[in-house]
Amino acid sequence: MDETVMIDGKSYTATQTVKGPVVKTILTGAEGTIELVRVADEFTSLDTDFMSKKEEAQNLAAVNKISVDVSESAYVENGNTYTTSSIYNTWRYGTWKNYKITAEGKISTVILTTLILSYIPYVGKIAGAMAGIFLTYKLKVGYFSAKKDTMLLSGNYIKQKQHLKLFKQSNYTQLLSYKSAERTDHMAD
């Protein structure tokens, strides 16, 4: 992932590397860089160039108090059926995955966005907005659903549509916000 993310009206560049159970998420903005490293379900480090070591330790402790539960949704949108003539310019619809994020105590929008990016793939452009909504509604528990749809445009380009929903209740029926974003990427040779 290498995307621009808007958080509280400020632009950040989000990058992420995944090596087995290690997920490193980096946000870089005008005020500096924040790097959050997660190994399996534990955040092992939080480094910034704009917080004191004490603030970093407090934020790392706060992030580790957040629990995230992931489950596959039973809902599949528009089953995927392919024919030779529909290889290009046809959406391949992803499967919704549910994420329950429990966050108690004070946490910043930037830290919550970094956490969301660490757990929920493909939602870079819209993660900051959802983190802001989560905090605006003063939620202790947020129920997220995410999916990614893809379209092969040619042998060299792919279009992706990212979807992220935030619900207020565990039955995923009271929708607070729905965001989507599209991006077109050049496929690696």
Side-chain angles (χ1 to χ4, degrees):
M1 171 184 63
D2 189 3
E3 293 188 280
T4 300
V5 179
M6 295 301 291
I7 305 171
D8 295 335
K10 297 176 184 171
S11 179
Y12 291 81
T13 300
T15 57
Q16 187 174 72
T17 56
V18 179
K19 292 183 182 174
V22 179
V23 178
K24 183 189 294 184
T25 306
I26 301 169
L27 286 180
T28 305
E31 62 184 16
T33 300
I34 182 168
E35 178 181 297
L36 188 62
V37 177
R38 177 173 59 86
V39 178
D41 287 331
E42 181 182 356
F43 291 92
T44 57
S45 71
L46 183 136
D47 294 312
T48 70
D49 54 9
F50 59 90
M51 289 182 193
S52 69
K53 291 296 177 192
K54 182 179 177 181
E55 288 174 312
E56 288 176 2
Q58 288 171 340
N59 279 301
L60 182 60
V63 166
N64 274 313
K65 288 180 185 174
I66 295 172
S67 69
V68 178
D69 298 316
V70 182
S71 65
E72 289 285 338
S73 173
Y75 176 70
V76 178
E77 196 172 63
N78 302 336
N80 292 325
T81 306
Y82 309 119
T83 63
T84 306
S85 63
S86 69
I87 291 174
Y88 297 109
N89 299 317
T90 302
W91 283 107
R92 284 14 176 221
Y93 296 99
T95 302
W96 288 99
K97 241 186 191 177
N98 294 331
Y99 300 82
K100 175 184 170 189
I101 297 179
T102 305
E104 295 189 37
K106 188 175 180 180
I107 190 163
S108 73
T109 310
V110 173
I111 298 290
L112 184 58
T113 301
T114 308
L115 177 128
I116 289 171
L117 291 172
S118 174
Y119 273 102
I120 305 176
Y122 319 120
V123 295
K125 291 184 177 187
I126 51 183
M130 285 300 193
I133 291 166
F134 185 99
L135 295 173
T136 298
Y137 279 94
K138 298 179 181 174
L139 299 176
K140 291 184 179 181
V141 180
Y143 301 93
F144 293 87
S145 285
K147 77 169 183 149
K148 178 179 80 167
D149 302 331
T150 58
M151 177 191 298
L152 190 59
L153 299 174
S154 70
N156 294 320
Y157 291 93
I158 188 169
K159 183 182 267 190
Q160 300 173 345
K161 191 181 294 184
Q162 307 159 324
H163 303 272
L164 186 59
K165 296 178 182 180
L166 174 59
F167 297 89
K168 191 172 182 177
Q169 297 179 338
S170 63
N171 60 4
Y172 291 85
T173 56
Q174 190 175 358
L175 183 65
L176 290 176
S177 184
Y178 170 69
K179 303 278 183 201
S180 66
E182 284 188 18
R183 64 183 278 174
T184 301
D185 291 315
H186 185 268
M187 297 186 327
D189 295 320

Short mmCIF file of all heavy atoms in Angstrom, two decimals, residues 84-141:
data_model
loop_
_atom_site.label_atom_id
_atom_site.label_comp_id
_atom_site.label_asym_id
_atom_site.label_seq_id
_atom_site.Cartn_x
_atom_site.Cartn_y
_atom_site.Cartn_z
N THR A 84 -14.50 -16.02 -20.89
CA THR A 84 -13.33 -15.53 -21.62
C THR A 84 -13.56 -14.10 -22.11
O THR A 84 -12.65 -13.29 -22.09
CB THR A 84 -13.03 -16.45 -22.81
OG1 THR A 84 -12.91 -17.78 -22.32
CG2 THR A 84 -11.75 -16.05 -23.49
N SER A 85 -14.75 -13.77 -22.51
CA SER A 85 -15.02 -12.44 -23.05
C SER A 85 -15.11 -11.38 -21.96
O SER A 85 -15.14 -10.20 -22.26
CB SER A 85 -16.31 -12.45 -23.86
OG SER A 85 -17.40 -12.77 -23.02
N SER A 86 -15.14 -11.77 -20.68
CA SER A 86 -15.29 -10.78 -19.61
C SER A 86 -14.04 -10.64 -18.75
O SER A 86 -14.12 -10.24 -17.61
CB SER A 86 -16.49 -11.13 -18.74
OG SER A 86 -16.22 -12.31 -18.00
N ILE A 87 -12.86 -10.97 -19.30
CA ILE A 87 -11.63 -10.84 -18.53
C ILE A 87 -11.36 -9.38 -18.21
O ILE A 87 -10.99 -9.03 -17.11
CB ILE A 87 -10.44 -11.47 -19.27
CG1 ILE A 87 -10.61 -12.98 -19.33
CG2 ILE A 87 -9.12 -11.11 -18.61
CD1 ILE A 87 -9.57 -13.68 -20.17
N TYR A 88 -11.55 -8.49 -19.18
CA TYR A 88 -11.25 -7.08 -19.00
C TYR A 88 -12.54 -6.28 -18.76
O TYR A 88 -13.60 -6.63 -19.24
CB TYR A 88 -10.53 -6.51 -20.23
CG TYR A 88 -9.19 -7.16 -20.45
CD1 TYR A 88 -8.99 -8.02 -21.53
CD2 TYR A 88 -8.13 -6.92 -19.60
CE1 TYR A 88 -7.75 -8.61 -21.74
CE2 TYR A 88 -6.89 -7.51 -19.79
CZ TYR A 88 -6.71 -8.36 -20.86
OH TYR A 88 -5.50 -8.96 -21.05
N ASN A 89 -12.39 -5.19 -18.03
CA ASN A 89 -13.46 -4.21 -17.80
C ASN A 89 -14.71 -4.80 -17.14
O ASN A 89 -15.82 -4.34 -17.39
CB ASN A 89 -13.82 -3.50 -19.10
CG ASN A 89 -12.64 -2.75 -19.66
OD1 ASN A 89 -11.91 -2.10 -18.93
ND2 ASN A 89 -12.43 -2.88 -20.96
N THR A 90 -14.54 -5.80 -16.32
CA THR A 90 -15.64 -6.38 -15.56
C THR A 90 -15.23 -6.40 -14.08
O THR A 90 -14.15 -6.88 -13.75
CB THR A 90 -15.92 -7.83 -16.02
OG1 THR A 90 -16.22 -7.80 -17.42
CG2 THR A 90 -17.08 -8.43 -15.27
N TRP A 91 -16.07 -5.87 -13.23
CA TRP A 91 -15.76 -5.85 -11.81
C TRP A 91 -15.79 -7.26 -11.23
O TRP A 91 -16.70 -8.03 -11.50
CB TRP A 91 -16.76 -4.97 -11.04
CG TRP A 91 -16.49 -3.51 -11.20
CD1 TRP A 91 -17.23 -2.62 -11.93
CD2 TRP A 91 -15.42 -2.77 -10.63
NE1 TRP A 91 -16.67 -1.38 -11.85
CE2 TRP A 91 -15.56 -1.43 -11.06
CE3 TRP A 91 -14.35 -3.09 -9.81
CZ2 TRP A 91 -14.67 -0.44 -10.68
CZ3 TRP A 91 -13.46 -2.10 -9.43
CH2 TRP A 91 -13.63 -0.78 -9.87
N ARG A 92 -14.79 -7.57 -10.45
CA ARG A 92 -14.74 -8.80 -9.64
C ARG A 92 -15.01 -8.33 -8.22
O ARG A 92 -14.21 -7.61 -7.63
CB ARG A 92 -13.37 -9.46 -9.67
CG ARG A 92 -12.92 -10.24 -10.89
CD ARG A 92 -13.69 -10.09 -12.12
NE ARG A 92 -13.10 -10.83 -13.25
CZ ARG A 92 -13.04 -10.34 -14.44
NH1 ARG A 92 -13.47 -9.12 -14.69
NH2 ARG A 92 -12.59 -11.06 -15.43
N TYR A 93 -16.15 -8.71 -7.67
CA TYR A 93 -16.60 -8.20 -6.37
C TYR A 93 -15.97 -9.01 -5.25
O TYR A 93 -15.99 -10.23 -5.26
CB TYR A 93 -18.12 -8.23 -6.27
CG TYR A 93 -18.76 -7.31 -7.28
CD1 TYR A 93 -19.25 -7.79 -8.48
CD2 TYR A 93 -18.80 -5.94 -7.06
CE1 TYR A 93 -19.80 -6.95 -9.42
CE2 TYR A 93 -19.35 -5.09 -8.00
CZ TYR A 93 -19.84 -5.59 -9.17
OH TYR A 93 -20.36 -4.75 -10.10
N GLY A 94 -15.43 -8.29 -4.29
CA GLY A 94 -14.81 -8.92 -3.13
C GLY A 94 -15.86 -9.36 -2.12
O GLY A 94 -17.05 -9.11 -2.27
N THR A 95 -15.39 -10.01 -1.09
CA THR A 95 -16.24 -10.47 -0.01
C THR A 95 -16.10 -9.51 1.17
O THR A 95 -14.99 -9.09 1.51
CB THR A 95 -15.80 -11.89 0.46
OG1 THR A 95 -15.85 -12.76 -0.67
CG2 THR A 95 -16.69 -12.41 1.55
N TRP A 96 -17.20 -9.15 1.77
CA TRP A 96 -17.17 -8.27 2.94
C TRP A 96 -16.54 -9.01 4.11
O TRP A 96 -16.83 -10.18 4.36
CB TRP A 96 -18.57 -7.83 3.33
CG TRP A 96 -19.18 -6.84 2.39
CD1 TRP A 96 -20.06 -7.11 1.38
CD2 TRP A 96 -18.94 -5.44 2.35
NE1 TRP A 96 -20.38 -5.96 0.72
CE2 TRP A 96 -19.71 -4.91 1.29
CE3 TRP A 96 -18.15 -4.58 3.10
CZ2 TRP A 96 -19.71 -3.56 0.97
CZ3 TRP A 96 -18.16 -3.23 2.78
CH2 TRP A 96 -18.93 -2.73 1.73
N LYS A 97 -15.65 -8.33 4.82
CA LYS A 97 -15.05 -8.85 6.04
C LYS A 97 -15.43 -7.90 7.16
O LYS A 97 -15.41 -6.67 6.98
CB LYS A 97 -13.53 -8.88 5.92
CG LYS A 97 -12.95 -10.25 6.03
CD LYS A 97 -11.45 -10.19 6.05
CE LYS A 97 -10.94 -11.59 5.88
NZ LYS A 97 -9.51 -11.66 5.81
N ASN A 98 -15.81 -8.44 8.29
CA ASN A 98 -16.21 -7.62 9.43
C ASN A 98 -15.08 -7.48 10.43
O ASN A 98 -14.36 -8.45 10.70
CB ASN A 98 -17.43 -8.23 10.12
CG ASN A 98 -18.65 -8.21 9.22
OD1 ASN A 98 -18.80 -7.35 8.37
ND2 ASN A 98 -19.53 -9.18 9.40
N TYR A 99 -14.96 -6.28 11.00
CA TYR A 99 -13.93 -5.97 11.98
C TYR A 99 -14.59 -5.27 13.15
O TYR A 99 -15.26 -4.25 12.97
CB TYR A 99 -12.87 -5.04 11.39
CG TYR A 99 -12.16 -5.60 10.19
CD1 TYR A 99 -12.73 -5.53 8.92
CD2 TYR A 99 -10.93 -6.22 10.32
CE1 TYR A 99 -12.08 -6.05 7.82
CE2 TYR A 99 -10.27 -6.74 9.22
CZ TYR A 99 -10.86 -6.65 7.97
OH TYR A 99 -10.22 -7.16 6.89
N LYS A 100 -14.40 -5.79 14.32
CA LYS A 100 -14.91 -5.15 15.54
C LYS A 100 -13.72 -4.52 16.24
O LYS A 100 -12.79 -5.22 16.68
CB LYS A 100 -15.58 -6.18 16.44
CG LYS A 100 -16.03 -5.65 17.77
CD LYS A 100 -16.58 -6.77 18.64
CE LYS A 100 -16.81 -6.31 20.06
NZ LYS A 100 -17.14 -7.45 20.93
N ILE A 101 -13.72 -3.19 16.34
CA ILE A 101 -12.61 -2.48 16.97
C ILE A 101 -13.12 -1.84 18.25
O ILE A 101 -14.04 -1.02 18.23
CB ILE A 101 -12.01 -1.41 16.02
CG1 ILE A 101 -11.44 -2.11 14.78
CG2 ILE A 101 -10.95 -0.60 16.73
CD1 ILE A 101 -10.85 -1.18 13.75
N THR A 102 -12.51 -2.24 19.36
CA THR A 102 -12.88 -1.73 20.67
C THR A 102 -11.76 -0.82 21.15
O THR A 102 -10.62 -1.26 21.33
CB THR A 102 -13.08 -2.88 21.68
OG1 THR A 102 -14.05 -3.78 21.14
CG2 THR A 102 -13.57 -2.36 23.02
N ALA A 103 -12.07 0.45 21.35
CA ALA A 103 -11.06 1.43 21.77
C ALA A 103 -11.60 2.27 22.92
O ALA A 103 -12.52 3.05 22.72
CB ALA A 103 -10.69 2.33 20.60
N GLU A 104 -11.04 2.07 24.08
CA GLU A 104 -11.44 2.87 25.23
C GLU A 104 -10.28 3.77 25.62
O GLU A 104 -9.12 3.43 25.43
CB GLU A 104 -11.84 1.96 26.38
CG GLU A 104 -13.08 1.15 26.06
CD GLU A 104 -13.62 0.41 27.26
OE1 GLU A 104 -13.57 0.97 28.37
OE2 GLU A 104 -14.09 -0.71 27.08
N GLY A 105 -10.62 4.91 26.18
CA GLY A 105 -9.58 5.86 26.56
C GLY A 105 -9.31 6.83 25.44
O GLY A 105 -9.90 6.78 24.37
N LYS A 106 -8.36 7.73 25.70
CA LYS A 106 -8.06 8.79 24.74
C LYS A 106 -7.07 8.28 23.70
O LYS A 106 -6.04 7.72 24.03
CB LYS A 106 -7.47 9.99 25.48
CG LYS A 106 -7.30 11.19 24.62
CD LYS A 106 -6.83 12.38 25.41
CE LYS A 106 -6.68 13.57 24.48
NZ LYS A 106 -6.24 14.75 25.16
N ILE A 107 -7.41 8.50 22.44
CA ILE A 107 -6.53 8.11 21.33
C ILE A 107 -6.71 9.15 20.23
O ILE A 107 -7.80 9.67 20.02
CB ILE A 107 -6.85 6.69 20.85
CG1 ILE A 107 -5.80 6.21 19.87
CG2 ILE A 107 -8.22 6.58 20.25
CD1 ILE A 107 -5.79 4.71 19.67
N SER A 108 -5.62 9.47 19.54
CA SER A 108 -5.69 10.49 18.49
C SER A 108 -6.19 9.88 17.18
O SER A 108 -6.13 8.67 16.97
CB SER A 108 -4.31 11.12 18.28
OG SER A 108 -3.45 10.20 17.61
N THR A 109 -6.65 10.75 16.31
CA THR A 109 -7.14 10.31 15.01
C THR A 109 -6.01 9.69 14.20
O THR A 109 -6.22 8.69 13.51
CB THR A 109 -7.75 11.50 14.23
OG1 THR A 109 -8.67 12.19 15.06
CG2 THR A 109 -8.46 11.04 12.98
N VAL A 110 -4.81 10.25 14.30
CA VAL A 110 -3.67 9.72 13.54
C VAL A 110 -3.33 8.30 14.01
O VAL A 110 -3.12 7.40 13.21
CB VAL A 110 -2.44 10.65 13.68
CG1 VAL A 110 -1.21 10.02 13.06
CG2 VAL A 110 -2.72 11.99 13.04
N ILE A 111 -3.31 8.09 15.33
CA ILE A 111 -2.99 6.77 15.87
C ILE A 111 -4.09 5.77 15.49
O ILE A 111 -3.80 4.65 15.07
CB ILE A 111 -2.82 6.82 17.41
CG1 ILE A 111 -1.66 7.75 17.79
CG2 ILE A 111 -2.63 5.43 17.98
CD1 ILE A 111 -0.29 7.24 17.43
N LEU A 112 -5.37 6.16 15.61
CA LEU A 112 -6.47 5.26 15.26
C LEU A 112 -6.45 4.94 13.76
O LEU A 112 -6.66 3.79 13.36
CB LEU A 112 -7.81 5.85 15.66
CG LEU A 112 -9.02 4.95 15.44
CD1 LEU A 112 -8.88 3.63 16.19
CD2 LEU A 112 -10.31 5.66 15.86
N THR A 113 -6.13 5.92 12.93
CA THR A 113 -6.02 5.67 11.49
C THR A 113 -4.91 4.66 11.21
O THR A 113 -5.09 3.73 10.41
CB THR A 113 -5.73 6.98 10.72
OG1 THR A 113 -6.79 7.90 10.97
CG2 THR A 113 -5.60 6.74 9.23
N THR A 114 -3.78 4.82 11.86
CA THR A 114 -2.66 3.89 11.68
C THR A 114 -3.07 2.48 12.08
O THR A 114 -2.75 1.51 11.40
CB THR A 114 -1.44 4.36 12.48
OG1 THR A 114 -1.15 5.72 12.15
CG2 THR A 114 -0.21 3.52 12.15
N LEU A 115 -3.82 2.37 13.17
CA LEU A 115 -4.30 1.06 13.63
C LEU A 115 -5.26 0.45 12.60
O LEU A 115 -5.15 -0.72 12.26
CB LEU A 115 -4.98 1.17 14.98
CG LEU A 115 -5.56 -0.13 15.49
CD1 LEU A 115 -5.09 -0.43 16.89
CD2 LEU A 115 -7.06 -0.12 15.44
N ILE A 116 -6.20 1.25 12.11
CA ILE A 116 -7.16 0.76 11.11
C ILE A 116 -6.41 0.28 9.86
O ILE A 116 -6.68 -0.79 9.34
CB ILE A 116 -8.20 1.85 10.75
CG1 ILE A 116 -9.15 2.07 11.93
CG2 ILE A 116 -8.99 1.46 9.49
CD1 ILE A 116 -10.07 3.27 11.76
N LEU A 117 -5.43 1.05 9.41
CA LEU A 117 -4.64 0.65 8.25
C LEU A 117 -3.88 -0.64 8.51
O LEU A 117 -3.68 -1.45 7.62
CB LEU A 117 -3.65 1.76 7.87
CG LEU A 117 -4.25 3.02 7.29
CD1 LEU A 117 -3.18 4.09 7.14
CD2 LEU A 117 -4.92 2.75 5.96
N SER A 118 -3.45 -0.84 9.75
CA SER A 118 -2.70 -2.04 10.11
C SER A 118 -3.55 -3.30 10.02
O SER A 118 -3.05 -4.36 9.65
CB SER A 118 -2.15 -1.89 11.53
OG SER A 118 -1.53 -3.07 11.95
N TYR A 119 -4.83 -3.19 10.33
CA TYR A 119 -5.70 -4.36 10.35
C TYR A 119 -6.57 -4.54 9.11
O TYR A 119 -6.86 -5.65 8.70
CB TYR A 119 -6.63 -4.32 11.58
CG TYR A 119 -6.01 -4.93 12.80
CD1 TYR A 119 -5.49 -4.14 13.79
CD2 TYR A 119 -5.94 -6.31 12.95
CE1 TYR A 119 -4.92 -4.70 14.92
CE2 TYR A 119 -5.37 -6.88 14.07
CZ TYR A 119 -4.86 -6.07 15.05
OH TYR A 119 -4.29 -6.64 16.16
N ILE A 120 -7.07 -3.44 8.57
CA ILE A 120 -8.03 -3.54 7.47
C ILE A 120 -7.33 -3.21 6.15
O ILE A 120 -6.97 -2.06 5.90
CB ILE A 120 -9.24 -2.59 7.69
CG1 ILE A 120 -9.88 -2.85 9.05
CG2 ILE A 120 -10.26 -2.77 6.57
CD1 ILE A 120 -11.03 -1.91 9.40
N PRO A 121 -7.11 -4.21 5.30
CA PRO A 121 -6.38 -3.96 4.06
C PRO A 121 -7.20 -3.15 3.05
O PRO A 121 -8.42 -3.16 3.08
CB PRO A 121 -6.10 -5.37 3.52
CG PRO A 121 -7.13 -6.24 4.16
CD PRO A 121 -7.51 -5.60 5.47
N TYR A 122 -6.50 -2.46 2.19
CA TYR A 122 -7.07 -1.79 1.01
C TYR A 122 -7.89 -0.54 1.31
O TYR A 122 -8.58 -0.06 0.43
CB TYR A 122 -7.96 -2.74 0.18
CG TYR A 122 -7.43 -4.12 0.02
CD1 TYR A 122 -8.14 -5.21 0.48
CD2 TYR A 122 -6.21 -4.35 -0.60
CE1 TYR A 122 -7.66 -6.50 0.33
CE2 TYR A 122 -5.71 -5.63 -0.75
CZ TYR A 122 -6.44 -6.69 -0.28
OH TYR A 122 -5.97 -7.96 -0.42
N VAL A 123 -7.88 -0.01 2.52
CA VAL A 123 -8.75 1.13 2.81
C VAL A 123 -7.96 2.41 3.08
O VAL A 123 -8.43 3.31 3.75
CB VAL A 123 -9.72 0.84 3.99
CG1 VAL A 123 -10.69 -0.26 3.62
CG2 VAL A 123 -8.97 0.52 5.26
N GLY A 124 -6.78 2.51 2.53
CA GLY A 124 -5.90 3.63 2.80
C GLY A 124 -6.53 5.00 2.65
O GLY A 124 -6.49 5.82 3.55
N LYS A 125 -7.14 5.27 1.51
CA LYS A 125 -7.66 6.61 1.25
C LYS A 125 -8.81 7.01 2.16
O LYS A 125 -9.05 8.18 2.38
CB LYS A 125 -8.13 6.71 -0.21
CG LYS A 125 -7.01 6.67 -1.20
CD LYS A 125 -7.52 6.86 -2.60
CE LYS A 125 -6.36 6.89 -3.55
NZ LYS A 125 -6.74 7.24 -4.90
N ILE A 126 -9.53 6.05 2.70
CA ILE A 126 -10.73 6.36 3.46
C ILE A 126 -10.60 6.06 4.96
O ILE A 126 -11.50 6.35 5.72
CB ILE A 126 -11.96 5.63 2.87
CG1 ILE A 126 -11.69 4.15 2.68
CG2 ILE A 126 -12.37 6.27 1.57
CD1 ILE A 126 -12.81 3.37 2.02
N ALA A 127 -9.46 5.54 5.36
CA ALA A 127 -9.27 5.17 6.77
C ALA A 127 -9.30 6.38 7.71
O ALA A 127 -9.86 6.32 8.80
CB ALA A 127 -7.97 4.40 6.95
N GLY A 128 -8.69 7.47 7.29
CA GLY A 128 -8.65 8.67 8.13
C GLY A 128 -10.04 9.24 8.40
O GLY A 128 -10.35 9.64 9.51
N ALA A 129 -10.87 9.25 7.36
CA ALA A 129 -12.24 9.74 7.53
C ALA A 129 -13.01 8.86 8.51
O ALA A 129 -13.74 9.37 9.37
CB ALA A 129 -12.96 9.78 6.19
N MET A 130 -12.85 7.55 8.40
CA MET A 130 -13.56 6.64 9.30
C MET A 130 -13.06 6.76 10.74
O MET A 130 -13.84 6.69 11.67
CB MET A 130 -13.43 5.20 8.83
CG MET A 130 -14.30 4.91 7.65
SD MET A 130 -16.06 5.17 8.02
CE MET A 130 -16.78 4.39 6.62
N ALA A 131 -11.75 6.95 10.90
CA ALA A 131 -11.22 7.16 12.26
C ALA A 131 -11.81 8.42 12.86
O ALA A 131 -12.19 8.45 14.04
CB ALA A 131 -9.70 7.23 12.22
N GLY A 132 -11.93 9.47 12.06
CA GLY A 132 -12.53 10.72 12.55
C GLY A 132 -13.98 10.54 12.95
O GLY A 132 -14.42 11.06 13.98
N ILE A 133 -14.72 9.79 12.16
CA ILE A 133 -16.14 9.53 12.49
C ILE A 133 -16.24 8.69 13.76
O ILE A 133 -17.06 8.97 14.64
CB ILE A 133 -16.85 8.85 11.30
CG1 ILE A 133 -16.96 9.84 10.15
CG2 ILE A 133 -18.22 8.31 11.68
CD1 ILE A 133 -17.33 9.23 8.81
N PHE A 134 -15.39 7.68 13.89
CA PHE A 134 -15.34 6.84 15.09
C PHE A 134 -15.17 7.72 16.34
O PHE A 134 -15.90 7.57 17.32
CB PHE A 134 -14.18 5.85 14.97
CG PHE A 134 -14.07 4.85 16.06
CD1 PHE A 134 -14.55 3.56 15.88
CD2 PHE A 134 -13.46 5.16 17.27
CE1 PHE A 134 -14.44 2.60 16.89
CE2 PHE A 134 -13.34 4.23 18.29
CZ PHE A 134 -13.84 2.94 18.10
N LEU A 135 -14.23 8.66 16.26
CA LEU A 135 -13.95 9.52 17.42
C LEU A 135 -15.02 10.60 17.60
O LEU A 135 -15.35 10.97 18.73
CB LEU A 135 -12.56 10.14 17.28
CG LEU A 135 -11.41 9.12 17.33
CD1 LEU A 135 -10.09 9.79 17.00
CD2 LEU A 135 -11.35 8.44 18.69
N THR A 136 -15.59 11.10 16.51
CA THR A 136 -16.64 12.11 16.61
C THR A 136 -17.87 11.57 17.34
O THR A 136 -18.46 12.25 18.17
CB THR A 136 -17.05 12.61 15.20
OG1 THR A 136 -15.92 13.22 14.59
CG2 THR A 136 -18.19 13.60 15.28
N TYR A 137 -18.22 10.32 17.02
CA TYR A 137 -19.36 9.68 17.68
C TYR A 137 -19.01 9.14 19.07
O TYR A 137 -19.87 8.59 19.75
CB TYR A 137 -19.92 8.54 16.81
CG TYR A 137 -20.84 9.01 15.72
CD1 TYR A 137 -20.37 9.26 14.44
CD2 TYR A 137 -22.19 9.22 15.96
CE1 TYR A 137 -21.21 9.70 13.43
CE2 TYR A 137 -23.04 9.65 14.96
CZ TYR A 137 -22.55 9.88 13.70
OH TYR A 137 -23.40 10.32 12.70
N LYS A 138 -17.74 9.31 19.47
CA LYS A 138 -17.26 8.85 20.78
C LYS A 138 -17.58 7.38 21.00
O LYS A 138 -18.03 6.97 22.07
CB LYS A 138 -17.82 9.72 21.90
CG LYS A 138 -17.38 11.17 21.78
CD LYS A 138 -17.94 12.04 22.85
CE LYS A 138 -17.47 13.46 22.60
NZ LYS A 138 -18.04 14.41 23.47
N LEU A 139 -17.34 6.58 19.97
CA LEU A 139 -17.60 5.16 20.05
C LEU A 139 -16.53 4.46 20.88
O LEU A 139 -15.35 4.80 20.79
CB LEU A 139 -17.62 4.53 18.65
CG LEU A 139 -18.68 5.03 17.68
CD1 LEU A 139 -18.48 4.36 16.33
CD2 LEU A 139 -20.07 4.77 18.21
N LYS A 140 -16.94 3.52 21.67
CA LYS A 140 -15.98 2.64 22.35
C LYS A 140 -15.79 1.39 21.50
O LYS A 140 -14.73 0.77 21.53
CB LYS A 140 -16.48 2.26 23.73
CG LYS A 140 -16.48 3.44 24.69
CD LYS A 140 -16.88 3.03 26.07
CE LYS A 140 -16.83 4.26 26.96
NZ LYS A 140 -17.18 3.97 28.32
N VAL A 141 -16.82 1.01 20.75
CA VAL A 141 -16.75 -0.13 19.85
C VAL A 141 -17.27 0.31 18.49
O VAL A 141 -18.35 0.87 18.39
CB VAL A 141 -17.60 -1.32 20.38
CG1 VAL A 141 -17.51 -2.50 19.41
CG2 VAL A 141 -17.18 -1.73 21.77
#
